[in-house]
């Protein structure tokens, strides 16, 4: 069964304090690993797709990396507006595009 | 920028009533999905829809649920005989290939 586990559940950082979020996964053939940002009461907002081990993607202060068992979302010099819940999801090959989500990491960045 | 639109944003219904949640996917997308998120829990897959038929559904998506694409733009989720445990955020998503884009959700409250 495909599974996604994210850690930590919650993370509090000072503005400018870099850190990483972890996403461990087991999947029967990875088609893609996805990172989303979710603000309270809103829908997930697409950030990145990673397809194969060794791949990296960057967007502003965020950088996502992928290995065969996990993905990291690195946040460099975060700002308060980066506060949100970050969701990781996997899509397995041979299915219909279904995403299996982790429970998310809630990030709070204090000024 | 194209986006997925959901209506209503909030729906309150009596237990046992039927509700229809509506979505307008991004216009050139081919794959459509419904997910739900119970407060404080993971985003869960309900159903995927392609080429005017259900391509995959989860165990949650039982006979109480149905989906329809009544015209070229709308995609609906019908929940018959709602139960208290159906209270959740319901998200519609659409994709052209692998990346799914989500709407802002409908908060369904069953009383």
């Amino acid at each position: 069964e495909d599974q996604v586990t994210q850690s930590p559940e919650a993370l509090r950082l000072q503005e400018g304090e870099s850190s990483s979020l972890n996403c461990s996964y087991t999947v029967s053939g990875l088609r893609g690993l996805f990172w989303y940002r979710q603000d309270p009461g809103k829908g997930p907002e697409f950030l990145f797709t990673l397809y194969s081990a060794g791949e990296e993607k960057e967007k502003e202060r965020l950088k996502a990396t992928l290995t065969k068992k996990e993905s990291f979302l690195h946040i460099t010099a975060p700002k308060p507006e980066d506060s949100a819940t970050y969701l990781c999801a996997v899509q397995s090959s041979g299915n219909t595009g279904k995403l299996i989500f982790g429970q998310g990491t809630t990030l709070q960045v204090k000024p | 920028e194209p986006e997925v639109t959901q209506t209503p944003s909030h729906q309150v219904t009596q237990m046992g009533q039927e509700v229809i949640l509506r979505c307008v996917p991004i216009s050139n997308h081919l794959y459509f999905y419904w997910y739900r998120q119970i407060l404080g829990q993971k985003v869960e897959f309900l159903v995927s829809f392609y080429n005017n038929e259900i391509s995959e559904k989860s165990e949650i998506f039982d006979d109480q649920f149905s989906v329809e694409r009544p015209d070229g733009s709308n995609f609906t989720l019908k929940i018959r005989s709602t139960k208290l445990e159906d209270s959740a955020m319901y998200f519609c998503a659409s994709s052209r290939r692998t990346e799914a884009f989500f709407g802002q959700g409908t908060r369904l409250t069953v009383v």
Side-chain angles (χ1 to χ4, degrees):
Chain A
E1 184 182 331
D2 300 341
Q3 273 194 325
V4 178
T5 303
Q6 293 186 245
S7 62
E9 285 189 15
L11 183 61
R12 296 172 73 175
L13 300 174
Q14 288 296 128
E15 184 172 2
E17 181 187 1
S18 302
S19 188
S20 295
L21 314 183
N22 177 264
C23 170
S24 298
Y25 65 92
T26 54
V27 64
S28 54
L30 182 70
R31 178 189 285 178
L33 184 140
F34 303 82
W35 283 97
Y36 287 86
R37 170 189 171 129
Q38 186 176 32
D39 292 303
K42 304 293 184 183
E45 176 189 344
F46 172 75
L47 293 174
F48 302 110
T49 311
L50 300 166
Y51 293 102
S52 56
E55 191 174 359
E56 299 183 353
K57 294 266 179 82
E58 283 190 68
K59 180 180 178 179
E60 297 180 356
R61 294 176 292 283
L62 301 177
K63 181 170 134 180
T65 62
L66 180 65
T67 73
K68 287 186 177 179
K69 293 185 178 180
E70 56 191 352
S71 177
F72 293 93
L73 185 66
H74 308 277
I75 304 177
T76 302
K79 298 182 177 182
E81 54 261 41
D82 295 322
S83 299
T85 296
Y86 290 86
L87 304 176
C88 174
V90 296
Q91 192 179 85
S92 64
S93 56
N95 79 12
T96 59
K98 172 178 75 175
L99 294 172
I100 303 297
F101 281 87
Q103 75 275 28
T105 293
T106 300
L107 173 66
Q108 183 181 34
V109 182
K110 293 196 159 189
Chain B
E1 187 175 315
E3 59 180 21
V4 176
T5 306
Q6 290 186 244
T7 55
S9 56
H10 191 188
Q11 173 118 28
V12 180
T13 190
Q14 295 269 348
M15 191 167 55
Q17 295 296 304
E18 175 182 287
V19 295
I20 297 176
L21 310 184
R22 302 181 191 279
C23 170
V24 179
I26 295 173
S27 62
N28 63 349
H29 285 189
L30 303 174
Y31 303 87
F32 313 110
Y33 312 88
W34 284 100
Y35 290 80
R36 79 173 185 189
Q37 187 175 31
I38 295 170
L39 188 62
Q41 297 188 21
K42 293 183 183 186
V43 177
E44 300 175 286
F45 169 78
L46 292 177
V47 66
S48 59
F49 192 87
Y50 171 71
N51 202 24
N52 282 321
E53 61 182 23
I54 290 174
S55 45
E56 186 173 358
K57 58 184 181 180
S58 71
E59 291 177 354
I60 304 167
F61 195 89
D62 59 21
D63 293 343
Q64 185 194 4
F65 295 88
S66 62
V67 289
E68 196 177 37
R69 188 154 160 83
D71 53 42
S73 59
N74 291 286
F75 181 49
T76 62
L77 175 69
K78 182 188 291 186
I79 309 175
R80 286 180 282 275
S81 191
T82 49
K83 299 176 276 195
L84 294 176
E85 53 264 40
D86 294 327
S87 295
M89 283 286 283
Y90 288 81
F91 296 111
C92 174
S94 69
S95 68
R96 185 168 165 77
R97 285 185 286 187
T98 51
E99 290 88 1
F101 294 87
F102 285 74
Q104 292 301 291
T106 293
R107 180 174 299 281
L108 177 65
T109 304
V110 183
V111 298

